[in-house]
Amino acid sequence: MSGRYPDRVRRTADEAAAAGLEAVLVAPSPDLAYLAGYDPPPLERLTLLVIRPGADAVLLVPTLERPLALASPLGADLEVVGWTDGDDPYQAAARLLPGAGRIGAGDRMWASHLLGLQRAVPEASFTTASPVISRLRAVKDANELAALARAARAADESFRQICSTRFEGRTEQDVSHDLEDLLVRNGHRRSDFAIVASGPNGFSPHHEPGGRTIRARDAVVMDFGGEFGGYFSDTTRTVVVGEPPPGFPEVYDAVRAAHDAALAAVRPGAAAQDVDRAARHTIELRGYGERFFHNTGHGIGLEVHEPPWIGEGNDLVLEPGMTFSVEPGIYLEGRFGVRIEDIVAVSADGVDRLNRSTRDLQVVD
Ligand code: ZN
Ligand code: ZN
Ligand code: ZN
């Protein structure tokens, strides 16, 4: 067995052994797509990849989905065991598992499946497989980095193009739809979010674009991204319609300085929370500490939000190939919000910015 997927499965088995787990169980989820190149929808019928240190991996699938599973990239490299409607899938899984010990379950397994497995293997103790699988997924290989860079460039181009469209007199929804179209036109398979938060709506970081008409002197926060070749983009830029509102330039400057400070803190050997502290310290010094009320970033890859979390309390040591967002913001209730977000990769000696679009304040019409 060699190749991308068998390697990932083997490394999962090694990490599981090191973590004292008898088995790692992965249901349909981005984890399964990562490990097996197999991405069926999560359904009531149990599909389960069973990885055990010192044993061959087995994919348990509903018999009606066995042809699909066999055709997947890992299908030829592992045993695909079917269970048929009328069988008890949890007993079928139990036959592949040790009767006792610690078993790691993927975070996205439905509770109904986990409860079924717990009933079928009552002597085993179940824990999260996340420390094992997240660690592997967090460090991207060259293909994954290239895919994330492509997605970021397409988002950059979409931002450049949206800046030459009209904002004043149109609704947030109008601009949001334009952004979604641009993401797709620039190569995304689909747009997953296109937040457009104008004026006071910018106070809400995850504002749902609505019917508010954008006016002159509004600040507009745009946070947009989607899937491109299996990997995601996620970019935020804040623009102003004509003259900035009162107090805006100082706030924009503080967020930009925090963004610079966070980027400068990214390097192998630094802790994830060091990046957050760099951004937060900069904003605190300018007197807006209370107005920055979320983490500085999140990992990104097969999911828009995935580990590592770039926040206080995460002492995970950064390694080359880790990818995450850097997105400090300041939010002033009733007035406006400012956020700047780029996706970055930890490089051999520092940071590689995957987004390249300007962070200089853009004035739109
Ligand atoms: Zn967000
Ligand atoms: Zn975002
Ligand atoms: Zn983000």
Side-chain angles (χ1 to χ4, degrees):
M1 279 211 323
S2 69
R4 186 194 314 175
Y5 297 110
D7 283 349
R8 290 172 177 174
V9 168
R10 193 168 20 240
R11 284 160 59 215
T12 301
D14 292 347
E15 293 275 342
L21 298 177
E22 301 293 328
V24 165
L25 308 180
V26 183
S29 61
D31 285 340
L32 186 62
Y34 177 78
L35 292 169
Y38 183 47
D39 195 18
L43 293 174
E44 74 288 1
R45 291 190 178 96
L46 181 68
T47 291
L48 197 65
L49 176 62
V50 179
I51 299 175
R52 294 191 61 186
D56 289 338
V58 178
L59 184 60
L60 179 68
V61 296
T63 299
L64 80 167
E65 289 177 12
R66 197 159 177 273
L68 266 183
L70 284 169
S72 72
L74 198 62
D77 286 311
L78 48 60
E79 197 185 344
V80 179
V81 173
W83 66 271
T84 306
D85 283 354
D87 295 348
D88 180 338
Y90 307 110
Q91 289 302 332
R95 287 192 283 278
L96 305 170
L97 294 173
R102 291 173 69 234
I103 296 177
D107 282 353
R108 300 296 178 79
M109 186 184 298
W110 284 7
S112 55
H113 292 320
L114 180 57
L115 290 167
L117 290 164
Q118 285 181 319
R119 274 194 306 275
V121 197
E123 302 298 314
S125 69
F126 285 80
T127 183
T128 171
S130 183
V132 168
I133 301 174
S134 298
R135 265 188 61 81
L136 293 179
R137 277 182 54 190
V139 178
K140 273 65 180 179
D141 66 25
N143 287 326
E144 294 182 286
L145 290 172
L148 283 161
R150 263 195 306 277
R153 298 293 153 71
D156 286 344
E157 184 58 19
S158 304
F159 173 66
R160 204 184 59 75
Q161 291 168 343
I162 200 76
C163 284
S164 61
T165 65
R166 183 147 189 96
F167 282 66
E168 188 180 353
R170 298 173 72 223
T171 66
E172 293 174 342
Q173 262 163 355
D174 293 337
V175 176
S176 176
H177 287 150
D178 283 356
L179 254 179
E180 292 183 312
D181 289 345
L182 286 170
L183 285 168
V184 170
R185 249 190 279 156
N186 286 306
H188 285 79
R189 192 159 72 97
R190 60 170 196 273
S191 148
D192 283 73
F193 52 96
I195 296 171
V196 176
S198 64
N201 289 340
F203 173 68
S204 169
H206 283 170
H207 173 69
E208 189 67 41
R212 183 179 185 275
T213 298
I214 299 171
R215 296 198 292 256
R217 302 206 78 182
D218 274 349
V220 183
V221 182
M222 293 182 284
D223 185 345
F224 48 96
E227 193 222 299
F228 189 140
Y231 286 78
F232 282 85
S233 62
D234 182 6
T235 303
T236 306
R237 291 291 184 266
T238 304
V239 301
V240 288
V241 183
E243 285 293 305
F248 181 89
E250 302 89 272
V251 173
Y252 192 87
D253 204 54
V255 173
R256 171 75 184 264
H259 200 256
D260 281 334
L263 293 179
V266 177
R267 62 178 175 279
Q273 66 187 1
D274 295 341
V275 178
D276 182 78
R277 286 174 183 174
R280 205 163 299 280
H281 184 62
T282 305
I283 288 177
E284 279 165 1
L285 284 180
R286 303 207 182 198
Y288 297 104
E290 308 272 283
R291 316 297 349 136
F292 174 27
F293 42 64
H294 56 71
N295 282 343
T296 293
H298 54 82
I300 186 167
L302 288 169
E303 293 172 275
V304 185
H305 286 209
E306 62 181 40
W309 314 113
I310 307 300
E312 185 62 37
N314 189 359
D315 57 7
L316 175 84
V317 175
L318 300 181
E319 294 173 41
M322 287 183 174
T323 51
F324 48 83
S325 70
V326 171
E327 50 177 309
I330 294 175
Y331 309 92
L332 301 184
E333 192 158 15
R335 295 171 64 193
F336 55 80
V338 176
R339 182 166 66 259
I340 300 174
E341 174 178 26
D342 281 342
I343 302 306
V344 303
V346 183
S347 65
D349 55 2
V351 63
D352 185 10
R353 287 181 57 205
L354 303 187
N355 288 105
R356 303 281 170 81
S357 57
T358 183
R359 295 173 299 150
D360 295 345
L361 180 61
Q362 299 297 296
V363 178
V364 298
D365 292 332

